[in-house]
Amino acid sequence: LGRPRYLLPAGMRYSTLKERASFYRREFDLQRAFAWVAPLARPVFAAVIGRHTKIFPRKFRGEASTTLLIDDYKGPEDLRRLLVELRPESVYYDRNVYGRRGPEGQELAFDLDPENTVCPIHGSLGDKMRVGQGLGFCELELNMVRAAAARLYDELARSFSEVRVVYSGRGYHVHVFDEGAFRLSRSDRRRLARELKERGYPIDVWVTEGSMRLIRLPYSLHAMVTRIVIPLKRDELESFDPISDARCLPLFLRP
Ligand SMILES: [Zn+2]
């Protein structure tokens, strides 16, 4: 109590259903999205239509809050058709690598969200939840999480060679595509996640240890903030501003 209320940084807002449909019909870069998930052989996608925004097509009201797994698509264009129909608030992919007898490995990933930073103005996640702002964040938190993603990238780059960073719409994801990282055991992942957490990184341990195997799909639309999820080069991180960078603005938001 007594802390300022806030919602989202200036310029970020929910997308309408019409905007979501227009994005997946005209803008969604299928080729790059499929290139990203290529190491997974037969990628499984997932969509959430309206769990947080409560914005969903009427005909899907029964499934608006569930996570819909998309594993029976016939190819890239079929995925596009499905997304245009569902008009989801979020699209994910499954990091597991599936063999004949089930998962044989998992892509190593780190999820850094602004609400997990301790903001000098808004406080900790607990403080934010107490004022009903568990998913809200401010520009200060956005900058703190960007700096943390840069530090984590540099640290991982000392042990791995295929490290990539993605602006996830709200925060940042760091992905490791080294073959050895796919084969890490669950306890290795858990140890790594807890160690980084203890050292002050605002990472979601559930994602890194593998309990949450879904992660946001690069090139998809994050419809809670109306930003496109985009991979960044390491040297672009310092100056990246998701409020104004045209690369993450859908066409319908550009002047
Ligand atoms: Zn804040």
Side-chain angles (χ1 to χ4, degrees):
L1 284 177
R3 289 185 186 276
R5 289 186 73 88
Y6 68 118
L7 288 163
L8 292 169
M12 291 188 171
R13 59 160 177 84
Y14 292 169
S15 316
T16 65
L17 287 176
K18 209 175 150 191
E19 288 168 342
R20 296 179 191 177
S22 141
F23 174 82
Y24 285 106
R25 190 177 291 122
R26 300 166 52 205
E27 278 194 75
F28 177 47
D29 195 332
L30 268 179
Q31 214 172 351
R32 287 199 168 122
F34 270 83
W36 182 275
V37 295
L40 301 170
R42 175 69 189 168
V44 172
F45 299 96
V48 170
I49 302 176
R51 183 184 299 157
H52 298 292
T53 58
K54 309 295 174 209
I55 297 172
F56 47 83
R58 271 190 66 81
K59 65 171 172 176
F60 296 125
R61 61 186 177 278
E63 300 140 290
S65 291
T66 53
T67 303
L68 303 167
L69 283 183
I70 305 172
D71 57 2
D72 57 352
Y73 59 95
K74 291 173 195 79
E77 283 302 331
D78 197 35
L79 178 70
R80 183 194 297 282
R81 184 192 57 76
L82 271 165
L83 295 178
V84 170
E85 192 187 345
L86 295 172
R87 286 168 274 172
E89 68 181 22
S90 296
V91 181
Y92 306 90
Y93 69 95
D94 183 342
R95 293 180 292 127
N96 280 354
V97 180
Y98 292 99
R100 283 188 187 168
R101 276 161 290 176
E104 289 176 345
Q106 188 183 72
E107 182 205 312
L108 179 63
F110 302 84
D111 176 22
L112 300 99
D113 281 323
E115 68 268 18
N116 289 320
T117 57
V118 179
C119 174
I121 298 167
H122 303 101
S124 67
L125 180 57
D127 296 325
K128 292 167 210 169
M129 287 176 77
R130 273 191 289 282
V131 293
Q133 291 283 337
L135 287 169
F137 58 96
C138 71
E139 288 191 52
L140 206 56
E141 290 160 51
L142 210 50
N143 285 332
M144 286 164 67
V145 79
R146 177 168 55 103
R151 279 199 309 278
L152 181 59
Y153 181 104
D154 293 343
E155 183 153 341
L156 291 167
R158 279 184 233 131
S159 314
F160 300 103
S161 57
E162 292 276 320
V163 184
R164 298 183 209 166
V165 62
V166 169
Y167 163 61
S168 71
R170 300 174 67 250
Y172 294 85
H173 292 155
V174 181
H175 298 251
V176 179
F177 280 96
D178 292 50
E179 207 159 325
F182 274 91
R183 282 193 239 104
L184 287 173
S185 70
R186 201 179 165 87
S187 58
D188 287 340
R189 290 167 200 274
R190 186 173 298 138
R191 198 178 318 115
L192 182 58
R194 291 196 177 154
E195 190 195 304
L196 290 166
K197 187 94 182 169
E198 273 163 28
R199 286 171 44 214
Y201 285 104
I203 59 164
D204 184 334
V205 171
W206 277 58
V207 170
T208 301
E209 72 172 21
S211 305
M212 169 44 84
R213 65 182 200 273
L214 301 177
I215 198 155
R216 200 169 287 275
L217 177 67
Y219 308 101
S220 67
L221 177 71
H222 192 318
M224 290 165 70
V225 289
T226 312
R227 287 296 180 279
I228 305 170
V229 180
I230 53 163
L232 297 167
K233 294 196 181 83
R234 168 63 184 88
D235 60 9
E236 292 171 336
L237 255 188
E238 262 79 29
S239 61
F240 179 72
D241 178 10
I243 310 284
S244 58
D245 195 303
R247 290 173 298 170
C248 64
L249 290 180
L251 287 174
F252 58 79
L253 274 196
R254 292 191 213 164

